Structure formats: C-alpha cells, structure tokens
Amino acid sequence: ETGVTQTPRHLVMGMTNKKSLKCEQHLGHNAMYWYKQSAKKPLELMFVYNFKEQTENNSVPSRFSPECPNSSHLFLHLHTLQPEDSALYLCASSLIGAGYGNIQYFGAGTRLSVL
Amino acid sequence: GIQVEQSPPDLILQEGANSTLRCNFSDSVNNLQWFHQNPWGQLINLFYIPSGTKQNGRLSATTVATERYSLLYISSSQTTDSGVYFCAVASGSRLTFGEGTQLTVNP
C-alpha cells in the first residue's frame, strides 16, 4: 500500500463513452501527477498539479481532461477516446518544496481498454 | 530534456544469483528514484538516491552524480524480484523515466 489509491483498476469503454478515473492520496502531499504507460514503453508524464493548480500539460489531446478539486484528489475525465489510448494510467503524488526531494509515490494504476 | 538510458534491457537469472542494473542520465539531477513494477502494474519505490549509497535488505543502490550514473544491485535474487525495474530522474518537478530492465528470476 503506497498511500495512493486509484479507481477503477480496470476499465473497458467504447469510443463514444465518457468515463472518469479517480486518484486519491493519503500522504499529505501537495503535488499530483497523471502518467500514461503504453505497452512496452516507459511512463510518459501527462499532467502535473501543484497545490491544485495545473503546472504542466505535456501536449495531451483534449479528449483527456484533468481535474484537481483539492490537494488530495485528482481526476482524469475521458471522452471520445481512440483505441490507441488503451494503456495503463498511473497517478502519483509527491511533496514539493525546499528540501523535500519531490519523491513520487504511485497508485496501482487503471488499465484502460478502448474498443 | 534529460535523457535516461537503462541497461541491460532484459535479464534472466536463476534464483540465488546476483545482478547489477545500470542507469545513465544526461544532465545534473536533484532527484533519482528506482522503482520495481510488478506484473500487475504497481510501481513500488525502491530508493530515492540522487547521490551516495543506500541499502535495503538484499537491494542496494549507488549514484555517482558527477559521472551521471546509478547502479541497482540485487543479491540472492528470488522469483518475487521478477518484473520491470525503472530508473527515473528529475532536475525539477518532472520525472523522466528510462525504458526499464525486464528481470526474470527462474526457480
């Protein structure tokens, strides 16, 4: 148990569906992240939130819409996805600030299949 | 951006063997983490080691920041050590991951 919880663990959706991924951290961290991991590839950073403010969007298509209502919760809203969006989506959190080192802790991921 | 290279890409061991995984990076970093990703996708933190040496049980890691590399040592490997080992580095808040080493430990 890393202190970062993701739901659902598995998700199958059609290209016309709308769904949301949820991430919650119980570590008192102030930064949260979404990563995408496609088969046989390293993790790719999608979004960074620092104190609820989005500080990085790594050229992610608009069919992925993040939301961070507070420092403990992060959502990824999905709509009109493509089959190539099928991947493992990982959430992470860390404590950012002088001396903290930005050590990131990861959730177990949501394995998404787009049909 | 920072480039991260891991070697070897694949490693097959017999249970009980020792191994060394390497991570090279292209620029100065203030964060280097080693992770183990299990077959279910969970990334487990192994070490936060921007410099120096740390040990945790059968695992140890050394980072030589001036020469821009880090090593992960696994001793007396067990089948439960199987999975992908990632090195990730950052010079700010953005972690950049290597492509990983796929480790298989056979009984």
Side-chain angles (χ1 to χ4, degrees):
Chain A
E1 184 61 49
T2 63
V4 182
T5 304
Q6 288 188 243
T7 54
R9 293 294 311 278
H10 301 272
L11 179 62
V12 179
M13 60 186 290
M15 290 190 285
T16 58
N17 292 157
K18 292 184 179 181
K19 298 285 184 183
S20 296
L21 310 184
K22 179 182 177 182
C23 178
E24 183 174 1
Q25 59 95 1
H26 309 276
L27 301 169
H29 289 168
N30 55 18
M32 297 187 78
Y33 311 79
W34 280 117
Y35 289 85
K36 175 184 178 182
Q37 186 181 26
S38 302
K40 307 292 186 184
K41 291 186 178 180
L43 277 73
E44 302 171 53
L45 180 65
M46 299 175 72
F47 301 103
V48 180
Y49 277 83
N50 190 347
F51 288 101
K52 304 187 302 178
E53 300 298 321
Q54 187 180 124
T55 57
E56 189 153 353
N57 176 339
N58 196 22
S59 302
V60 180
S62 60
R63 57 186 183 270
F64 295 91
S65 175
E67 178 189 2
C68 188
N70 54 60
S71 294
S72 298
H73 294 85
L74 183 65
F75 296 89
L76 188 62
H77 303 300
L78 316 171
H79 64 97
T80 59
L81 294 191
Q82 305 298 311
E84 60 265 28
D85 296 322
S86 298
L88 180 67
Y89 289 86
L90 290 156
C91 172
S93 71
S94 71
L95 195 57
I96 287 182
Y100 290 126
N102 186 25
I103 304 171
Q104 295 190 20
Y105 294 85
F106 284 78
T110 295
R111 196 166 294 279
L112 173 68
S113 296
V114 181
L115 304 179
Chain B
I2 296 177
Q3 306 299 312
V4 183
E5 292 184 0
Q6 290 187 242
S7 60
D10 296 280
L11 184 59
I12 300 175
L13 301 174
Q14 287 299 121
E15 202 166 25
N18 303 327
S19 63
T20 301
L21 282 57
R22 186 177 180 103
C23 172
N24 293 334
F25 45 95
S26 62
D27 208 342
S28 301
V29 298
N30 58 13
N31 179 357
L32 189 147
Q33 293 183 245
W34 282 99
F35 296 91
H36 175 215
Q37 188 170 38
N38 65 24
W40 298 272
Q42 174 75 64
L43 274 170
I44 306 298
N45 288 54
L46 298 178
F47 294 102
Y48 165 73
I49 187 164
S51 64
T53 296
K54 290 185 179 179
Q55 180 154 9
N56 184 2
R58 296 182 295 102
L59 303 181
S60 64
T62 294
T63 297
V64 183
T66 53
E67 297 187 24
R68 299 180 183 167
Y69 73 88
S70 183
L71 302 174
L72 178 68
Y73 305 95
I74 304 174
S75 64
S76 303
S77 59
Q78 301 176 357
T79 56
T80 52
D81 294 333
S82 296
V84 184
Y85 290 79
F86 287 104
C87 166
V89 304
S91 61
S93 62
R94 167 191 271 263
L95 264 186
T96 299
F97 282 74
E99 296 198 355
T101 292
Q102 173 76 59
L103 174 65
T104 302
V105 181
N106 293 320

